[in-house]
Amino acid sequence: MRNWKEKTIAISSERLSLVPIEGGDGREILEWINNGEIVSNFQFFTGAFSIEEESRYLTKMADSPTDFLLGLFINNGRFIELIGTCGLHEIDFKNDTARLGIIIGKKEHWNEGYAREAIRALLGFAFNAMNLHKIYLNVFVTNGKAVHLYAQVGFRIEGTLRSEYKIRGGYVDMYRMAILREEWKKSV
Ligand SMILES: CC(C)(COP(=O)(O)OP(=O)(O)OC[C@H]1O[C@@H](n2cnc3c(N)ncnc32)[C@H](O)[C@@H]1OP(=O)(O)O)[C@@H](O)C(=O)NCCC(=O)NCCS
């Protein structure tokens, strides 16, 4: 499915709709990415993003053939609430791989199982509709919550990337984790 981005994309899970993000969602997203508590695990968020920068980023993501950024919307029929984003990046149709990223930006919705649900839905799309073979990610070894979450949905640690990431003046180790399509198929 090479022209997947031109098609209408409808991904949903039990409680979430995963919808390609639009420029108009920028203001809400800005609140999370300028909140140090939410984005302390990311180097590029310095707490001072402007709405113009965020809109430019969202447009770049929408236009990029190697990125796929989705808003995570709770839709219970009565209201629709944007609670986070997830996406595939560095999509490589030669090797059939992509890197997964996720943020639940509304902290009041942490530990309600939304990230697990979103990742499962996104993996289903990646392996079934996009026909990818392997989804990987890098996570701080100290981010126990995220490591637990990724392992729970079937990612395996492939190795430790030593002193991989420079943050707050120091170098930190990261786990490279990944899941293969055949592992995913066995788990669903
Ligand atoms: C990491 C993040 C995506 C998780 O989202 P979430 O919706 O709260 O996750 P879920 O509710 O689906 O699952 C959380 C799991 O971690 C567990 N958990 C919570 N705190 C934990 C901790 N300190 N250590 C280990 N596990 C923890 C929960 O119990 C739950 O597991 P369970 O279902 O076995 O009980 C979210 O906290 C976030 O966006 N954090 C900031 C950005 C970030 O770190 N992104 C990942 C970068 S690689």
Side-chain angles (χ1 to χ4, degrees):
M1 188 176 164
R2 305 284 145 160
N3 59 344
W4 56 275
K5 240 186 167 181
E6 287 149 31
K7 302 195 186 250
T8 304
I9 293 166
I11 308 176
S12 57
S13 62
E14 200 184 326
R15 297 172 296 168
L16 293 171
S17 298
L18 286 68
V19 179
I21 208 84
E22 291 175 6
D25 298 316
R27 275 206 189 279
E28 236 168 319
I29 295 175
L30 202 62
E31 281 181 32
W32 324 328
I33 63 172
N34 282 337
N35 178 343
E37 200 185 354
I38 308 286
V39 293
S40 62
N41 283 330
F42 303 105
Q43 189 178 52
F44 27 87
F45 297 118
T46 54
F49 269 94
S50 67
I51 184 66
E52 290 75 23
E53 285 169 316
E54 180 57 16
S55 297
R56 265 200 302 279
Y57 172 76
L58 295 180
T59 303
K60 189 175 141 197
M61 289 293 107
D63 293 343
S64 163
T66 56
D67 293 279
F68 180 32
L69 188 64
L70 299 164
L72 304 176
F73 292 86
I74 298 176
N75 183 353
N76 72 0
R78 283 180 292 121
F79 63 88
I80 296 175
E81 182 185 3
L82 177 63
I83 61 159
T85 62
C86 70
L88 298 176
H89 305 279
E90 295 161 49
I91 300 168
D92 175 351
F93 283 115
K94 287 202 177 73
N95 292 303
D96 302 326
T97 58
R99 180 174 58 77
L100 181 140
I102 185 159
I103 298 180
I104 302 296
K106 295 219 172 131
K107 204 178 166 202
E108 64 271 26
H109 287 299
W110 280 8
N111 297 320
E112 293 177 353
Y114 284 117
R116 186 173 53 235
E117 208 175 297
I119 293 170
R120 286 193 171 135
L122 186 58
L123 288 177
F125 187 82
F127 290 132
N128 294 328
M130 294 172 71
N131 211 22
L132 293 176
H133 166 68
K134 179 175 188 173
I135 305 297
Y136 63 91
L137 56 86
N138 296 334
V139 55
F140 285 180
V141 298
T142 49
N143 192 347
K145 177 181 175 182
V147 173
H148 171 90
L149 165 71
Y150 298 139
Q152 205 182 36
V153 292
F155 283 78
R156 294 191 197 170
I157 294 175
E158 294 190 318
T160 304
L161 307 170
R162 295 174 308 136
S163 289
E164 174 73 4
Y165 202 84
K166 187 175 182 183
I167 192 161
R168 291 182 282 277
Y171 300 100
V172 293
D173 292 351
M174 302 192 90
Y175 289 135
R176 150 96 178 208
M177 300 181 78
I179 181 168
L180 303 177
R181 184 170 48 206
E182 55 263 35
E183 293 165 348
W184 163 253
K185 295 252 171 191
K186 273 189 211 149
S187 74
V188 289

